[in-house]
Amino acid sequence: MKKIINDPNHVVQDMIKGMVMANPKTVKQLEDTLIIARSEAPIANKVGLVSGGGSGHEPAHAGYVGKGMLDAAVAGEVFTSPTPDQVLEAIKALDSGKGVFLVIKNYTGDVLNFEMAQELAEAEGIKVEKVVVNDDVAVEDSSFTTGRRGIAGTVFVHKIAGAKAESGASLEEVKAVADRVVKNVRSMGMALTPCTVPAAGRPSFQLDENEMEIGIGIHGEPGIERKSIATADEIATELTNKVLEDIEFSIGDDVAVMVNGLGSTPEMELYILNSKVHEILNEKGINVYKTFVGEYMTSLEMAGCSVTLLKLDEELKVLLDAESLAPAFLN
Amino acid sequence: MKKIINDPNHVVQDMIKGMVMANPKTVKQLEDTLIIARSEAPIANKVGLVSGGGSGHEPAHAGYVGKGMLDAAVAGEVFTSPTPDQVLEAIKALDSGKGVFLVIKNYTGDVLNFEMAQELAEAEGIKVEKVVVNDDVAVEDSSFTTGRRGIAGTVFVHKIAGAKAESGASLEEVKAVADRVVKNVRSMGMALTPCTVPAAGRPSFQLDENEMEIGIGIHGEPGIERKSIATADEIATELTNKVLEDIEFSIGDDVAVMVNGLGSTPEMELYILNSKVHEILNEKGINVYKTFVGEYMTSLEMAGCSVTLLKLDEELKVLLDAESLAPAFLN
């Protein structure tokens, strides 16, 4: 294992310290927790937006904490759900009376722990609503998941629900728009290499020298198929078509595109892929409103990518374009 | 070689196509060239800012093209200097009568080709000035370099000279501020793994399973020492101290910090490193004005990092904070 770390069992704490030091004006760490919150939180008369999950997906989720996106991100250990008491802590710290909205990726542990925290918070009189993101079209049910997994499309939920909350919307209004994003966002990924969880010390699975896996999850959960490495154009075609099959598009529809790197794929390769994604959408008469190419939801140093499409209506466009001061999504 | 590409000999052209498709409002490709320019260039009554170099360092340099930073980036093939005629093309396309300023990383090929383009442009009556960035304190003279190499500190030159040019400054004023950045910026890097140039198909060097190289260049040029992997704190200490030895700091000085990932190092590790860099600076009474953690100047999928410090005066702070719409440096 080749990593720039100190103690493999202390990477999350060390990372959070370095994140807060890098962005002292934007974020703070809540004392004795693995929670990063907006420095000015709780914010009066604003729905609090909380997300989080296992670490190792940076910049998700702490990089999305900031004005116009999340109010707090709760970090679990690497690829491990945060505990209910940590999520509860975040809810309590964030609530300004207008309620707290939870954005949860669809993994059994995350759903369980966030829902338990929701119940405990509600028992204390805090209004809590949630959305479960399940944008990955690759497989139904997987290791750690019932139904579809939540992957890079989650970032669009953060952005759009965040902008809605920032505008002063009610908890119900934030939930309505987040539900609409989940209904309209689909993703699919592939990997060329595994990654190594620091505390484990060795890769969680193996891929042969000429092999790739289509439909893999962001923790290396099995995908659809292992096969020989294809060209960028073939990979883009397979991922994009699978996404397009799953959601109804009409000619002239507007979409946001995210071509996301899983960790060690050079930006060069993501741009090469992006070119074919656009070509496919152009051919189908689908209009690309905005494109995001980069690392938004990673799996440590896994090589690979995902393609996300979000079908946009007029309100979603406005919210996507709204200001964000989150370090990993300046807008 | 595991890469998401089509033709290994066509990666730069394919990448540029995908970049322009991703940012159609910000940038354009100059026809029949590997030049990415601001979509509205040439801009009247503004010094044109041109940089570039070999590809494989993305987001450098095309990601820094946009309002407030570069007007154009000239891409060479992977790890290969752009040709003089391409640089000349950029100079001619960018000049609005106020002159063109070149930001060159100190590699023999880059310096030679950019200077040749400068001479040709001057012969056509265009005013051209330049700065050669040599921020890497690791070694004097190296494969491809006489003197010190230019690495991640170059991004600060783009940002600050770009803001100065945007303010309407003269060519001489832009040069003066760029020279001041070069005088005050120092970097040093290390690597855990090599990277593979697509057209070569195999890694350019080898490192053993427990080995790292301190002071390595962004093309894998030899550094100072190969040794067993150290902890993040030890690596941060070695890099930061070497940088600090090379430039005079007084208690209370303000610096900008860049902790740069070389390609496949997870953001988690960069933040862990950042924490120790800050600690060292705090101990010395040096004030961190702003921190940048992420991938700013990469070496394809090399694992490793660099630490850059820029000593700031009041004007440099203002220019660093000025608006930038470049996709890879939104500010």
Side-chain angles (χ1 to χ4, degrees), chain B:
Chain B
M1 177 175 66
K2 286 192 143 180
K3 290 186 184 288
I4 303 173
I5 58 175
N6 293 307
D7 177 348
N9 296 306
H10 216 260
V11 291
V12 178
Q13 291 89 328
D14 289 356
M15 167 182 73
I16 286 178
K17 197 173 152 202
M19 276 184 161
V20 175
M21 281 173 151
N23 302 290
K25 285 178 191 157
T26 318
V27 299
K28 63 184 174 191
Q29 179 177 10
L30 300 189
E31 215 174 323
D32 299 323
T33 71
L34 297 178
I35 302 165
I36 284 199
R38 268 172 73 172
S39 46
E40 68 274 31
I43 297 150
N45 204 30
K46 181 187 160 316
V47 168
L49 213 68
V50 175
S51 189
S55 294
H57 305 300
E58 291 68 32
H61 295 279
Y64 302 121
V65 174
K67 190 179 176 203
M69 283 186 89
L70 300 179
D71 292 281
V74 190
E77 292 303 318
V78 178
F79 293 177
T80 304
S81 300
T83 56
D85 63 297
Q86 292 267 308
V87 181
L88 177 63
E89 195 77 33
I91 294 173
K92 287 162 71 173
L94 264 291
D95 182 44
S96 68
K98 210 168 176 175
V100 171
F101 188 70
L102 306 177
V103 182
I104 312 168
K105 295 199 301 308
N106 191 32
Y107 299 97
T108 308
D110 283 15
V111 174
L112 210 68
N113 292 356
F114 276 78
E115 283 184 347
M116 195 177 296
Q118 175 178 6
E119 280 171 33
L120 293 167
E122 284 170 343
E124 297 190 32
I126 301 174
K127 286 192 295 175
V128 182
E129 288 285 356
K130 66 169 185 290
V131 70
V132 177
V133 189
N134 59 351
D135 54 316
D136 186 350
V137 302
V139 291
E140 291 289 332
D141 304 339
S142 177
S143 3
F144 328 125
T145 321
T146 307
R148 286 176 168 184
R149 301 173 299 218
I151 56 173
T154 310
V155 179
F156 284 138
V157 184
H158 294 344
K159 176 67 191 75
I160 287 170
K164 188 73 184 180
E166 203 69 48
S167 77
S170 69
L171 186 56
E172 292 67 30
E173 288 168 329
V174 172
K175 178 168 170 53
V177 85
D179 284 343
R180 211 153 83 242
V181 177
V182 171
K183 193 167 156 257
N184 286 289
V185 70
R186 299 288 189 284
S187 304
M188 187 153 130
M190 58 78 64
L192 294 174
T193 71
C195 61
T196 297
V197 173
R202 56 195 167 76
S204 46
F205 63 98
Q206 297 291 341
L207 279 167
D208 285 347
E209 182 46 42
N210 285 310
E211 212 176 29
M212 63 176 186
E213 182 155 340
I214 297 284
I216 202 163
I218 53 172
H219 313 92
E221 308 96 306
I224 298 173
E225 190 186 5
R226 286 190 175 195
K227 56 184 180 185
S228 294
I229 298 185
T231 65
D233 283 358
E234 289 164 342
I235 292 168
T237 303
E238 182 159 5
L239 299 184
T240 309
N241 282 344
K242 192 91 190 337
V243 166
L244 286 171
E245 278 166 23
D246 201 79
I247 191 163
E248 210 172 301
F249 281 106
S250 307
I251 289 177
D253 276 351
D254 287 310
V255 292
V257 173
M258 179 176 283
V259 177
N260 172 57
L262 291 183
S264 67
T265 292
E267 216 174 79
M268 171 183 278
E269 298 175 32
L270 300 179
Y271 279 115
I272 293 175
L273 202 83
N274 179 57
S275 168
K276 186 66 182 179
V277 174
H278 276 243
E279 203 180 299
I280 295 167
L281 295 172
N282 290 343
E283 275 167 14
K284 297 199 186 287
I286 298 169
N287 177 47
V288 178
Y289 180 73
K290 213 163 188 176
T291 308
F292 301 85
V293 176
E295 294 184 348
Y296 290 92
M297 176 77 71
T298 64
S299 304
L300 296 166
E301 72 286 355
M302 194 182 284
C305 64
S306 62
V307 172
T308 299
L309 299 183
L310 167 64
K311 192 158 95 172
L312 294 164
D313 56 35
E314 292 311 309
E315 189 193 13
L316 295 187
K317 282 186 221 172
V318 170
L319 295 170
L320 184 64
D321 289 344
E323 184 190 41
S324 159
L325 299 184
F329 203 116
L330 294 168
N331 213 18

Side-chain angles (χ1 to χ4, degrees), chain A residues 305-324:
Chain A
C305 64
S306 62
V307 172
T308 299
L309 299 182
L310 168 63
K311 191 158 95 172
L312 294 164
D313 56 34
E314 291 311 309
E315 189 193 13
L316 295 187
K317 282 187 222 172
V318 170
L319 294 170
L320 184 64
D321 290 342
E323 184 190 42
S324 159

Side-chain angles (χ1 to χ4, degrees), chain A residues 104-108 132-154 185-190 213-224:
Chain A
I104 312 167
K105 295 199 301 308
N106 190 33
Y107 299 98
T108 307
V132 177
V133 189
N134 60 350
D135 54 316
D136 187 350
V137 302
V139 291
E140 291 289 331
D141 304 340
S142 176
S143 2
F144 329 123
T145 322
T146 308
R148 287 176 167 184
R149 302 174 296 218
I151 56 173
T154 310
V185 70
R186 299 289 189 282
S187 304
M188 187 152 131
M190 59 78 64
E213 182 155 340
I214 296 285
I216 202 164
I218 53 172
H219 313 93
E221 308 96 305
I224 298 172

Side-chain angles (χ1 to χ4, degrees), chain A residues 9-318:
Chain A
N9 296 307
H10 216 259
V11 290
V12 178
Q13 291 88 328
D14 289 355
M15 167 181 73
I16 286 178
K17 196 173 152 201
M19 275 184 163
V20 175
M21 280 172 152
N23 303 289
K25 286 178 190 157
T26 317
V27 300
K28 62 184 174 190
Q29 179 176 12
L30 300 189
E31 215 175 323
D32 298 325
T33 72
L34 297 178
I35 303 164
I36 284 199
R38 268 171 74 171
S39 45
E40 68 275 33
I43 296 150
N45 204 30
K46 180 187 160 315
V47 169
L49 213 68
V50 176
S51 189
S55 295
H57 305 300
E58 290 69 33
H61 295 280
Y64 302 122
V65 174
K67 190 178 177 204
M69 284 186 88
L70 301 178
D71 293 282
V74 191
E77 292 302 318
V78 177
F79 293 177
T80 304
S81 301
T83 56
D85 63 297
Q86 291 267 308
V87 181
L88 177 63
E89 195 76 34
I91 294 172
K92 287 163 71 173
L94 263 292
D95 182 46
S96 68
K98 209 169 178 176
V100 171
F101 188 70
L102 305 177
V103 182
I104 312 167
K105 295 199 301 308
N106 190 33
Y107 299 98
T108 307
D110 282 16
V111 174
L112 210 68
N113 292 355
F114 275 78
E115 284 184 346
M116 195 178 296
Q118 175 178 5
E119 281 172 32
L120 293 167
E122 285 170 343
E124 296 191 30
I126 301 173
K127 287 192 295 177
V128 182
E129 289 286 356
K130 66 168 184 289
V131 70
V132 177
V133 189
N134 60 350
D135 54 316
D136 187 350
V137 302
V139 291
E140 291 289 331
D141 304 340
S142 176
S143 2
F144 329 123
T145 322
T146 308
R148 287 176 167 184
R149 302 174 296 218
I151 56 173
T154 310
V155 180
F156 284 137
V157 183
H158 294 343
K159 176 66 191 77
I160 287 170
K164 189 73 185 180
E166 203 69 48
S167 76
S170 69
L171 187 56
E172 293 67 30
E173 289 168 328
V174 172
K175 179 169 171 51
V177 85
D179 284 344
R180 211 154 83 243
V181 177
V182 171
K183 193 166 156 259
N184 286 290
V185 70
R186 299 289 189 282
S187 304
M188 187 152 131
M190 59 78 64
L192 295 173
T193 70
C195 62
T196 298
V197 173
R202 57 196 167 74
S204 45
F205 64 98
Q206 295 291 341
L207 280 167
D208 286 345
E209 181 47 41
N210 284 310
E211 212 176 27
M212 64 176 185
E213 182 155 340
I214 296 285
I216 202 164
I218 53 172
H219 313 93
E221 308 96 305
I224 298 172
E225 190 186 4
R226 285 190 178 196
K227 56 184 179 185
S228 293
I229 298 184
T231 64
D233 283 358
E234 289 163 343
I235 293 167
T237 303
E238 182 158 5
L239 299 184
T240 309
N241 282 344
K242 193 88 193 329
V243 166
L244 286 171
E245 278 166 22
D246 201 78
I247 191 162
E248 209 172 302
F249 280 106
S250 307
I251 289 177
D253 276 350
D254 287 310
V255 293
V257 173
M258 179 177 283
V259 176
N260 171 57
L262 291 183
S264 67
T265 292
E267 215 174 80
M268 170 183 279
E269 298 175 31
L270 300 178
Y271 278 115
I272 292 174
L273 202 83
N274 179 58
S275 168
K276 186 66 182 179
V277 174
H278 276 244
E279 202 180 298
I280 295 166
L281 295 172
N282 290 343
E283 276 167 13
K284 297 198 185 288
I286 298 169
N287 177 48
V288 178
Y289 179 73
K290 213 163 186 174
T291 308
F292 301 85
V293 176
E295 295 185 346
Y296 290 93
M297 176 77 72
T298 64
S299 304
L300 295 167
E301 71 286 353
M302 194 181 283
C305 64
S306 62
V307 172
T308 299
L309 299 182
L310 168 63
K311 191 158 95 172
L312 294 164
D313 56 34
E314 291 311 309
E315 189 193 13
L316 295 187
K317 282 187 222 172
V318 170

